Amino acid sequence: MKYQSQTAFTHTQADKIGILVSNLGTPEAPTKQALKPYLKQFLSDPRVVEVPKLIWWFVLNGIILNFRPKRSAQAYATVWTEEGSPLLVHTKNQAKGLQQRFSEKYGDDVVVEYAMRYGQPSVENALNRLLEQGARKIVVLPLYPQYCASTTGSTFDALANDFTKRRWLPELRFINQFHDHDPYIQCVANSIKAHWLTHEKADKLIFTYHGIPKRYLLNGDPYHCQCHKTTRLVAQALGLKEGEYLTTFQSRFGREEWLKPYTDETLKGMPSKGVKSVQMICPGFSSDCLETIEEIGEENREYFMENGGERYEYIPALNDSSEHLNMLFELLEQNLHGWQVGDDYLKRGEMAKQMGAEK
């Protein structure tokens, strides 16, 4: 059969709205054996590595996959929990919290699932679960505030590839960024303020984002600009002055030039310039993961302290905090406007009008 059908479909079932939240991915275990297929899937994506396919095949299979899985497994082992990968745990809890909020307001008419772009649960499996529950309209939210072809664009590729195999396609809405969404900015700012309530301000607040090769920016990717806009808006919300904060980029890979300034090199040089205390935040990560817990929380701490730093603090990602879930719920609900939920249609501004009438 050329096209995939829904095995549990009946013509009498009620149509529902589906919500799919997705994140980058995680291996199934912190082992070399589990890392190899995960890294192969991740690094084989042409959105992630824009290198001629034949050349990259030899580099990936002949060199990288023979050495990197063991090293990556050791890093994952340092952050792994009894429940599994932190990224998977937080994403699962985010989906659970969103389902609770939609159920409280819309009953059984809205269903929420989560997926990983690489690894499990896959985008295909999550779509299957939504469609089998009767979702005929689906909103997809990649949990990357800033758009990047390597992350958000790749998520859309996975959806598009899946849809080419299906007989009956759902209506689709795709949220490709929320880097300047005011409730998101306030969430990040409030998380920093909460940290300041129990810790004094540091000499410098550093906004660190996952890096990408510089040529992606030169080829038109908006990620670099959106990261800087997020920083600027959060700094404004905090009332910070120029010089009190900085944007850097982490997690570079290979010898190619990536977005600068590099987080690790910046931290190594700061103590000699009189910056003895720093606070780090990663606004591009909706969930804590290897890159925040190990790379920023531990590895870069060592760089800073070994070079004369005196105080280093990592401010956690928003994860499944109530304020973050409320923001994501509001963002998703805005993207349901005009769709029928049960017997009603969501209308933009309806709540605002009701609130105005009550005054």
Side-chain angles (χ1 to χ4, degrees):
M1 184 168 58
K2 183 176 181 180
Y3 296 109
Q4 181 178 348
S5 300
Q6 293 173 228
T7 57
F9 172 77
T10 65
H11 287 279
T12 57
Q13 70 185 108
D15 289 348
K16 297 183 179 181
I17 289 177
I19 303 292
L20 176 59
V21 292
S22 68
N23 219 317
L24 187 73
T26 178
E28 295 186 10
T31 65
K32 177 182 176 181
Q33 294 74 19
L35 259 296
K36 189 167 184 177
Y38 169 72
L39 288 175
K40 185 172 184 177
Q41 182 190 16
F42 174 48
L43 295 175
S44 295
D45 187 344
R47 286 280 199 181
V48 175
V49 182
E50 296 185 27
V51 172
K53 188 173 183 180
L54 184 59
I55 295 175
W56 183 244
W57 188 93
F58 282 105
V59 173
L60 178 61
N61 291 278
I63 301 175
I64 295 174
L65 292 179
N66 288 321
F67 297 98
R68 191 173 178 87
K70 181 179 180 180
R71 185 174 62 184
S72 294
Q74 293 171 344
Y76 271 102
T78 66
V79 303
W80 214 259
T81 71
E82 292 183 359
E83 298 177 86
S85 160
L87 179 68
L88 180 63
V89 172
H90 290 309
T91 305
K92 184 188 301 185
N93 288 339
Q94 288 165 346
K96 182 179 179 181
L98 288 170
Q99 182 66 78
Q100 180 181 354
R101 284 160 173 78
F102 277 106
S103 295
E104 289 173 353
K105 188 165 184 179
Y106 300 108
D108 297 330
D109 293 318
V110 178
V111 289
V112 180
E113 294 288 348
Y114 67 95
M116 296 292 161
R117 174 61 183 91
Y118 312 103
Q120 298 296 329
S122 67
V123 170
E124 179 182 3
N125 289 339
L127 285 172
N128 282 336
R129 291 194 298 272
L130 287 173
L131 294 172
E132 296 295 346
Q133 293 177 79
R136 299 304 325 150
K137 301 177 176 69
I138 296 176
V139 177
V140 180
L141 173 61
L143 291 167
Y144 318 115
Q146 298 79 22
Y147 174 91
C148 181
S150 302
T151 52
T152 316
S154 178
T155 303
F156 188 85
D157 289 349
L159 291 165
N161 181 62
D162 178 89
F163 283 177
T164 64
K165 305 170 187 176
R166 295 190 182 274
R167 180 170 299 280
W168 189 8
L169 301 182
E171 291 184 48
L172 178 69
R173 292 180 181 176
F174 186 83
I175 303 172
N176 72 352
Q177 54 81 27
F178 51 98
H179 71 283
D180 57 357
H181 183 54
D182 186 62
Y184 158 70
I185 296 298
Q186 290 302 319
C187 274
V188 177
N190 288 343
S191 72
I192 297 170
K193 289 178 182 177
H195 186 83
W196 286 346
L197 285 177
T198 54
H199 302 79
E200 294 181 0
K201 283 187 180 181
D203 294 335
K204 190 85 70 173
L205 175 64
I206 299 180
F207 295 77
T208 175
Y209 300 84
H210 199 292
I212 59 173
K214 182 180 178 180
R215 62 187 168 90
Y216 294 8
L217 164 65
L218 299 179
N219 288 336
D221 198 300
Y223 177 73
H224 176 265
C225 301
Q226 292 190 358
C227 290
H228 277 283
K229 187 173 184 180
T230 295
T231 294
R232 176 172 57 82
L233 292 176
V234 173
Q236 288 178 354
L238 294 171
L240 293 177
K241 299 177 182 178
E242 187 175 350
E244 294 182 308
Y245 62 94
L246 180 67
T247 295
T248 64
F249 296 91
Q250 64 186 81
S251 311
R252 68 187 184 278
F253 175 74
R255 300 179 181 179
E256 182 176 4
E257 182 180 358
W258 281 41
L259 298 181
K260 292 182 177 179
Y262 299 143
T263 300
D264 54 357
E265 292 185 0
T266 299
L267 287 167
K268 291 175 183 178
M270 277 189 161
S272 64
K273 298 176 182 178
V275 178
K276 298 297 185 179
S277 62
V278 295
Q279 290 166 334
M280 311 290 294
I281 190 160
C282 302
F285 294 87
S286 295
S287 304
D288 275 316
C289 55
L290 181 69
E291 285 80 3
T292 65
I293 300 171
E294 194 275 336
E295 183 181 356
I296 297 302
E298 299 298 332
E299 180 182 339
N300 280 273
R301 177 194 301 273
E302 292 181 7
Y303 295 147
F304 183 70
M305 302 301 284
E306 288 175 356
N307 283 276
E310 298 175 358
R311 183 162 66 98
Y312 181 103
E313 295 161 6
Y314 168 62
I315 301 173
L318 298 175
N319 295 320
D320 58 348
S321 66
S322 294
E323 186 177 9
H324 188 210
L325 291 177
N326 290 340
M327 181 276 289
L328 293 175
F329 173 77
E330 177 193 18
L331 178 64
L332 286 160
E333 192 176 41
Q334 288 176 358
N335 283 271
L336 301 184
H337 287 131
W339 277 357
Q340 188 171 2
V341 181
D343 296 326
D344 299 320
Y345 283 88
L346 280 168
K347 297 180 181 179
R348 188 178 299 276
E350 187 173 64
M351 183 176 296
K353 291 180 181 178
Q354 292 177 352
M355 292 176 64
E358 293 171 359
K359 291 182 180 179

